[in-house]
Amino acid sequence: MVPETFKWLDGELVLLDQRAIPWETCFVTCKTYEDVAKAISSMVVRGAPAIGVAAAYGMALASLAGEDMKRARETLLSSRPTAVNLRWALERMDSVIDRSPDDIIAMAQRLHREDLEINRAIGDNGEALVSDGSVILTHCNAGAIATAGWGTALGVIRSCRERGKSVKVYADETRPRLQGGLLTSWELMEDGFDVTVISDGMAAWLMKKVSVDCVIVGADRIAANGDTANKIGTYGLSLAAKAHGVPFYVAAPLSTFDLSLSSGDGIPIEERDGDEVRAPYGKRLLPEDVEVWNPAFDVTPGENVTAIITEVGVLRPPYGVSIAKAIKEI
Ligand code: MRU
């Protein structure tokens, strides 16, 4: 069983420590908003929707402690730059920022509950795109622990099984933090799915040699034209999918859309410490002082995306039109 991503317990936020999965199931308790910001930047909690909900609980902790709420908001907002769900969640919290701690806690709990419902809806909408017996390739982890539960890309896979469809999943290992190799494989194995891990460089060859029916990935920020920021390696995967005629689906909630950006050019891409590449999980693999470039995300052009699966339905190109319509209708 996959444990819950977060729990609000007696005025504290208990987070599943994703850095320890799959070796250990342990938790990090956040007593202050600074603890939450640190948990987000150090990837105790990760995945776009999950960090949004965690930040909302960070605001709840700040209000309980009588902290300066503007300062708490700024600290949480700057904890990671790419996933716009963080800003979205803090904007939702703005509507109660001057209210009592009880009201602020209630709003964070509401975002938590809503995210689970949204993922269920994404799963159900995406399931219709997948036929029984499909082979699905995914990247990074867009599963239950990257959200309040069920998952976005993995939510589609879970919904397939709920409707009686059998699917075979390939998970990209996802260098350098190995979210696919460590988290996606573990989540799917815990739930009894058929999953095989490949290293990132094998994806194009997999498409050539095995009949992959579709790629399904999550997203961290989607611009108004459908350009999609997601874990580094997603762009290359989209190119390989295009070359092999494999449908490339993005599964994401509407909180991942950033209509203030007309294209992906304006999406801030987080660059992380080169030691994540030199010495993954503390094991030095590369020469000590070798130069490393470590962007954590890339941007897949909307033209490479076959469809975007959201809680309100499946959006198709032209995305300028379908995205604007979906956002207007909520
Ligand atoms: O750096 P991470 O692990 O937070 O990156 C996560 C991803 O890129 C996920 O694919 C994305 O946030 C979608 S999670 C439902």
Side-chain angles (χ1 to χ4, degrees):
M1 269 267 291
V2 176
E4 281 181 69
T5 316
F6 13 60
K7 272 192 199 135
W8 179 253
L9 275 182
D10 304 326
E12 294 177 346
L13 178 64
V14 180
L15 296 169
L16 173 69
D17 188 348
Q18 300 196 30
R19 300 166 308 177
I21 302 288
W23 310 289
E24 235 186 300
T25 303
C26 56
F27 298 86
V28 169
T29 300
C30 299
K31 296 177 193 252
T32 65
Y33 76 82
E34 286 103 333
D35 291 344
V36 178
K38 195 165 156 234
I40 293 172
S41 58
S42 65
M43 294 172 76
V44 166
V45 59
R46 44 140 310 279
I51 64 178
V53 175
Y57 279 121
M59 293 300 283
L61 288 171
S63 77
L64 272 179
E67 306 270 5
D68 177 339
M69 295 298 278
K70 276 208 179 112
R71 195 160 156 190
R73 190 190 192 284
E74 270 162 36
T75 306
L76 288 160
L77 185 59
S78 59
S79 57
R80 283 194 85 186
T82 302
V84 76
N85 310 63
L86 187 57
R87 188 180 81 199
W88 174 90
L90 291 168
E91 281 169 359
R92 289 281 304 270
M93 296 306 287
D94 286 346
S95 63
V96 290
I97 200 162
D98 296 324
R99 305 251 281 266
S100 70
D102 280 353
D103 288 344
I104 297 180
I105 294 166
M107 183 56 130
Q109 288 173 322
R110 181 170 158 190
L111 296 195
H112 185 169
R113 266 195 321 274
E114 278 178 13
D115 189 57
L116 184 57
E117 288 160 16
I118 285 168
N119 286 305
R120 280 283 186 165
I122 290 172
D124 292 348
N125 290 333
E127 173 273 326
L129 300 172
V130 180
S131 7
D132 188 23
S134 284
V135 175
I136 300 171
L137 174 59
T138 190
H139 189 70
C140 194
N141 178 49
I145 62 172
T147 63
W150 203 244
T152 56
L154 298 195
V156 174
I157 288 163
R158 289 193 165 93
S159 292
C160 281
R161 187 167 63 185
E162 207 171 57
R163 301 272 166 93
K165 292 177 184 171
S166 117
V167 291
K168 157 87 200 157
V169 183
Y170 282 91
D172 275 350
E173 186 182 37
T174 317
R175 277 281 273 157
R177 290 293 295 235
L178 305 177
Q179 289 93 333
L182 301 175
L183 308 178
T184 298
S185 66
W186 167 82
E187 265 200 32
L188 292 176
M189 285 169 74
E190 282 290 305
D191 286 350
F193 284 93
D194 175 359
V195 57
T196 300
V197 174
I198 57 169
S199 68
D200 300 2
M202 297 169 189
W205 191 238
L206 179 82
M207 291 180 202
K208 175 95 181 161
K209 298 303 281 183
V210 175
S211 147
V212 173
D213 294 291
C214 63
V215 175
I216 312 179
V217 295
D220 288 84
R221 192 182 300 225
I222 303 174
N225 67 346
D227 289 356
T228 297
N230 190 48
K231 181 52 56 193
I232 190 75
T234 305
Y235 171 45
L237 203 56
S238 78
L239 293 172
K242 201 173 189 177
H244 291 91
V246 174
F248 186 91
Y249 299 125
V250 171
L254 294 183
S255 55
T256 306
F257 289 82
D258 183 353
L259 294 200
S260 74
L261 299 178
S262 56
S263 81
D265 293 344
I267 299 179
I269 299 294
E270 176 181 16
E271 292 202 15
R272 295 184 64 88
D273 195 320
D275 271 348
E276 287 188 345
V277 178
R278 287 185 204 96
Y281 288 84
K283 168 81 182 150
R284 191 157 290 283
L285 299 179
L286 273 54
E288 194 153 357
D289 297 322
V290 70
E291 279 295 325
V292 159
W293 181 47
N294 185 21
F297 301 92
D298 57 27
V299 178
T300 296
E303 67 201 41
N304 290 3
V305 178
T306 310
I308 306 175
I309 306 161
T310 74
E311 67 271 35
V312 295
V314 175
L315 312 186
R316 299 274 183 181
Y319 291 119
V321 177
S322 57
I323 292 174
K325 189 164 173 273
I327 301 276
K328 210 185 279 169
E329 277 169 8
I330 52 162

